[in-house]
Amino acid sequence: MFTKLIAVDDQKIGTVHFHAFVIKIQDDEVGFAIFMDELPTPLLYFYRDSIDSITFKIDNDQFLAIVKNSKFTSEVRKELYKEFEFFLRTMEERATAYLFKNAAIKYITNSRDIIRYKNYYISAGTKTFEQE
């Protein structure tokens, strides 16, 4: 379903290596995605949901795997999450500049989702996350 077209950037944060790509989604639709390590599907990706609107989708299972497998203390997790959020914001800006110049974009960094994911990761509170 996802074909990596152009590598845009990458960054290792903690033990996870994140890779940003311009991707091809089905039917030649172009999007922007962030992959973890060498996984074949993205942690999150941006795609056109209408002619002038861009939204995102997050793979909750991958995110939950990060939360469950992290061995870092809460303080270290706070710092790692800051690094991830900075990388994510930078990639959103690049996606806008490269692909989605004239579209209305729903940014994950401006959504409630980012706060929820941050809280899950820092507190490692997976029980609530699994129930949603």
Side-chain angles (χ1 to χ4, degrees):
M1 181 171 160
F2 300 99
T3 304
K4 298 173 185 173
L5 299 176
I6 301 169
V8 176
D9 204 346
D10 68 283
Q11 184 171 343
K12 187 167 185 178
I13 301 171
T15 59
V16 178
H17 201 148
F18 295 97
H19 306 268
F21 287 91
V22 173
I23 59 169
K24 182 177 104 176
I25 308 169
Q26 59 199 14
D27 301 326
D28 292 331
E29 180 183 352
V30 176
F32 193 87
I34 297 177
F35 291 80
M36 288 188 344
D37 297 321
E38 299 302 320
L39 294 177
T41 58
L43 171 64
L44 63 96
Y45 66 98
F46 295 88
Y47 64 97
R48 192 173 298 277
D49 63 343
S50 71
I51 191 124
D52 60 353
S53 177
I54 309 300
T55 193
F56 61 87
K57 182 162 177 58
I58 300 169
D59 184 326
N60 289 324
D61 292 335
Q62 285 187 40
F63 185 82
L64 188 56
I66 294 172
V67 172
K68 285 183 174 181
N69 294 315
S70 180
K71 305 295 183 217
F72 296 106
T73 66
S74 181
E75 287 305 309
V76 172
R77 284 179 186 224
K78 283 180 188 175
E79 292 306 312
L80 293 173
Y81 199 84
K82 281 182 191 176
E83 286 182 50
F84 173 73
E85 193 170 346
F86 180 80
F87 178 70
L88 179 56
R89 190 174 308 274
T90 303
M91 294 305 99
E92 286 178 329
E93 291 169 2
R94 286 190 182 174
T96 301
Y98 296 163
L99 300 173
F100 309 127
K101 289 180 185 170
N102 298 318
I105 301 174
K106 181 180 177 190
Y107 293 106
I108 186 172
T109 54
N110 291 339
S111 72
R112 286 189 217 156
D113 294 331
I114 196 76
I115 295 167
R116 187 177 57 159
Y117 286 115
K118 176 182 180 180
N119 291 338
Y120 288 139
Y121 178 68
I122 292 171
S123 68
T126 59
K127 192 169 191 89
T128 305
F129 187 74
E130 290 172 333
Q131 292 174 351
E132 289 185 3

